[in-house]
Amino acid sequence: MKDKKLFLLDALALIFRAYFAFSKNPRINSKGMNTGAILGFTNTLLDVLNNAKPTHIGVGFDTSEPTFRHEAFADYKAHREKPPEDIHVAIPYVKKIIKAFNIPAVEMNGFEADDIIGTLAKRAHAEGYDVYMMTPDKDYAQLVEDGIYLYKPAYLGNAIEILGIPEVLKKFEISDVDQVRDILGLQGDSADNIPGVPGVGAKTAVKLIQEYGSVENLLKNVEKLSGKLKENLVNFSQQAILSKKLATIITDVPVEFDEDEFEYKGPDKEALKAIFDELEFRTLSKRVFGEEKLVGSDVTGQINIFNESSAEETGRNAGAELKNINTQKHDYKIVTGTQNIKAFVKKLREQKEFCFDTETTGLDLTTAEIVGLSVSFRKHEAYYIPIPEHEESAGEIIGWFKPVFENDVQLKIGQNIKYDYLVLKRYGVEVRGPFFDTMIAHYLIEPEGRHNMDALAEIYLRYIPVSIEELIGKRGKEQRTMREVEVEKVAEYSGEDADITLQLKYVFEPILKRKKIEKLFYEVEVPLIRVLASMEAEGVKLDNKDLKSLSEEMSGEIEKLEKDIYKLAGEKFNISSPKQLGEILFDKLKLIDNPRKTKTGQYATGEDVLTRLAGEHKVIQKILDYREVQKLKSTYVDALPDMISKADGRVHTSYNQTVAATGRLSSTNPNLQNIPIRTDKGKEVRKAFIPRNKDFILLSADYSQIELRIMAHFSKDTSMIAAFKDGADIHSITASRIFNVPVESVDENMRRKAKTANFGIIYGISAFGLAERLNIPRKEAAEIIDSYFSKFPSVKQYMDEVINTAREREYVETILGRRRYLRDINSRNATVRGFAERNAINAPIQGSAADLIKVAMINIHNHFEKKKLKSRMILQVHDELVFDVFKPELDSLRPVVEKLMKEAIPLRVPVEVETGTGKNWLEAH
């Protein structure tokens, strides 16, 4: 049989996982039976059958009988809580469903499911099978070898994880998969009551096994240790050996792997339908049996059939790891009535710090109304103040809180506090710091993690908050506003938000201190909140007439380009279809031999591919032009007018502090960072951004070659530093050095190559990458890079040092200590490792550029406030700031902006800022 693939499912682990996934939204049928665990397990099984398409499959079960581990250690699993009753109810039904799918369920008294699965995995692999052990249980990692994998299902929104040998070695930080048993034995397992060695946790266990290789060898060398660790290892040596034995999955259970028995041939339709009917799985039954299509090996094209129903189970699940979840008692009170609210405000004034959260009718800050306000200043306690719909009454109640929000003494805590700041600002309340934003705190702690409150609660507090969809439904016509939800439910939801955010603050505060990023948090990211809020509230005016005219012009250009493309191609086709375009370019026009294909088997027709082919046929450039104009028209020219607020006639972009791992700001609605500036058509879009009225003018201030200057600062390269200090053209200087010609002899082509090399080096570009960008042979590109490093040796030295440091720490830092974690920097996979190495070079530079402009923005904003200027900072894009300047203030403001930008962070080289003014953004730039 070709591609023999066996999946072995750990039944109880997956059933527990499914049970907790539905614990917040139990599936109770008409008989009062909770079917969530059964439904979740079935969805998981269907997902495997449809997506992984195993040729063979089996499910391992535990029994209630004692195992050999209980005989070796009487207290094994003694303290484990009894499973919920719903689990006991679910297991027989799961077995019935498995049987109806004609999948063998394997169990044996005296052994656990992992022993059975381990044995079957080894025996099947010996017969030529690739084996996937499907379980969230990390202990199975000890069984991994070439051809045997740990298949971890999707969890908390993360994708499926498949662990082979390299992944296991990296995850456990070991050199041999067999050492998983040693680590598990040393650290013990509270869930299974495996004692381990007192005082030895996960980190210590890894360190000891890295040094001594095994528990046995560690105990032989215990005299080399000292202190309490040595004492514990001496006193508990036999316990260490026993714990390793208890953690070891055995692979000689007396079970046989029968190929015919485990081969998946499809379900027994009648039996399966009867079970689904009994359990009232009507939707699931319809999907499985609708149109007489069944899941499994004889079905194609059904990969997404079960995604909708399994989304709950995979997207918000709480696996078996989340035991005793959401059992903490809490006290959330609703505060109403003038006297009660005023008394509460007085009580709130007495607190050193408090967490607050606003509930609104929507997310559009120009129209959103406050429905309620929740406050928490003690764990597990919160207060909810409903805000009436009537504008005057709402303003009056919110006004009572002004002394609290507008003082600069009490610490205000929030999750994405900028949103609440802007909402309250519309009601005349200017929230003043100090602030603590848990979303931003976590962004600094784990830049590439998920920063939404639900995810943070699950990860750090082992708590699953109420979903917003439970209150107002999913997005669409049927979704309600928070105003329409019963006040008691809103109070519970909002109070929980404030309570959980307060608890997260207590978790993140010491981590910020431990990682030495407090200063970056309190002096850069937190002060930036008010700056960005001010810019968002201010907005920018657009010339709607100009956009309309540009849209009509682009429509005509698109039509002309279509005709040109059809003529050059010799026929009409869908230019936007990669499939049809690929057939025209490579099957009909035969532009190149052996064109690259995508994973779906279609020809690759991305921009990078077409750019390289631009000289092969006139149609290529026409297609590139067509794509550019069409994208600009749909993304900006036609979309921007719909983003103009009816309240003030301006566009209010949202700046995101917690998206780009480098520290760069991003923006949405519109995404300002993606407006092209290098092409004439892209520049036309900027013409639509204009001053508020005739008394104002736009001022643009742009850092010049800032990333190269930061590279010079980090590398301390004397040649680069001298060039910047002399005000010389760095690209011409580079060209002169790498091509060995006088500066005055550098031609445009040399300078172009040097410029590409300069910026490419910052991103750790390879010879292949440089050759692609410059469209030159790889050998020539390699010679340019070699010459570059020989003439700028300090740059090469810096790059080597930063990579070596990253290998030791697994992170790099900016000038202000912003971290970028690079956990793949020591990967054995060259591609993965190479990507991490390039990030190691680039992240400190990009991140320092981000730090620089953020500090400048804060200082400029403070200057505006101090001088009470009418001018406003309205846009930030890459290394550029744009100001809507009151004309009488221009002459005094311009040099101040330049000075504050230049002096934001001292560098070893001078920082240059280019400024310009105009009646629109393009003219100013």
Side-chain angles (χ1 to χ4, degrees), residues 832-898:
V832 172
R833 185 176 64 250
F835 181 76
E837 288 173 352
R838 288 191 291 277
N839 273 332
I841 296 165
N842 177 248
I845 296 169
Q846 265 206 64
S848 294
D851 294 343
L852 182 74
I853 201 165
K854 285 178 176 179
V855 172
M857 291 169 73
I858 294 165
N859 293 340
I860 291 169
H861 179 81
N862 291 342
H863 175 79
F864 280 26
E865 283 196 334
K866 182 180 178 182
K867 297 294 184 180
K868 297 181 179 177
L869 301 178
K870 291 183 179 180
S871 301
R872 294 288 184 268
M873 181 161 48
I874 56 171
L875 295 174
Q876 188 278 332
V877 181
H878 303 302
D879 300 319
E880 178 185 9
L881 297 176
V882 181
F883 305 86
D884 198 6
V885 179
F886 184 49
K887 287 178 180 177
E889 296 172 353
L890 178 62
D891 290 342
S892 60
L893 183 61
R894 189 172 192 158
V896 171
V897 166
E898 291 178 4

Side-chain angles (χ1 to χ4, degrees), residues 17 152-161 314-315 317 449-450 459:
R17 172 179 170 273
K152 298 186 79 171
Y155 175 65
L156 296 179
N158 293 327
I160 291 165
E161 188 179 3
T314 57
N317 66 27
R450 292 176 298 147
I459 294 166

Side-chain angles (χ1 to χ4, degrees), residues 499-516:
D499 176 18
I500 292 301
T501 301
L502 180 71
Q503 293 185 52
L504 288 170
K505 185 260 185 183
Y506 297 148
V507 173
F508 295 154
E509 199 170 31
I511 300 176
L512 290 171
K513 186 173 184 178
R514 187 171 72 246
K515 294 196 172 189
K516 299 179 180 178

Side-chain angles (χ1 to χ4, degrees), residues 503-637:
Q503 293 185 52
L504 288 170
K505 185 260 185 183
Y506 297 148
V507 173
F508 295 154
E509 199 170 31
I511 300 176
L512 290 171
K513 186 173 184 178
R514 187 171 72 246
K515 294 196 172 189
K516 299 179 180 178
I517 46 180
E518 280 183 305
K519 189 173 182 180
L520 178 64
F521 177 71
Y522 287 113
E523 295 184 12
V524 180
E525 295 294 349
V526 167
L528 190 66
I529 294 170
R530 289 186 69 244
V531 179
L532 297 178
S534 175
M535 292 168 66
E536 289 180 23
E538 191 67 31
V540 59
K541 191 174 181 181
L542 290 180
D543 187 337
N544 219 345
K545 289 181 180 178
D546 184 74
L547 286 171
K548 187 177 180 181
S549 174
L550 185 57
S551 178
E552 291 172 357
E553 182 185 322
M554 285 183 167
S555 293
E557 189 168 352
I558 289 169
E559 192 175 336
K560 184 179 183 303
L561 283 167
E562 282 180 342
K563 290 178 181 177
D564 291 345
I565 291 167
Y566 295 153
K567 185 176 180 181
L568 289 166
E571 64 177 272
K572 284 188 176 184
F573 65 99
N574 183 353
I575 303 169
S576 300
S577 165
K579 182 177 184 295
Q580 292 185 35
L581 178 60
E583 290 169 353
I584 291 290
L585 298 181
F586 305 119
D587 288 339
K588 182 177 180 180
L589 299 179
K590 300 189 184 301
L591 295 188
I592 54 173
D593 297 325
N594 302 315
R596 182 162 61 88
K597 292 189 175 183
T598 65
K599 292 179 180 179
T600 60
Q602 295 179 6
Y603 291 117
T605 58
E607 187 175 348
D608 58 332
V609 175
L610 296 189
T611 302
R612 289 197 300 272
L613 293 175
E616 300 294 327
H617 198 286
K618 290 181 180 179
V619 75
I620 299 295
Q621 190 56 52
K622 294 287 185 182
I623 293 166
L624 288 170
D625 292 343
Y626 172 87
R627 284 182 175 179
E628 183 198 3
V629 178
Q630 190 180 56
K631 183 177 180 180
L632 279 172
K633 185 176 184 296
S634 61
T635 307
Y636 294 105
V637 179

Side-chain angles (χ1 to χ4, degrees), residues 327-332 380-381 463 492 496 499:
T327 57
Q328 178 66 51
K329 291 182 179 179
H330 61 257
D331 183 15
Y332 301 157
H380 315 305
E381 292 182 14
Y463 186 90
E492 182 74 12
E496 183 182 70
D499 176 18

Side-chain angles (χ1 to χ4, degrees), residues 789-807:
F789 286 141
S790 69
K791 299 301 167 62
F792 298 98
S794 298
V795 173
K796 182 68 168 82
Q797 185 180 348
Y798 162 73
M799 290 169 64
D800 291 340
E801 286 176 357
V802 78
I803 289 173
N804 289 333
T805 302
R807 287 198 178 112

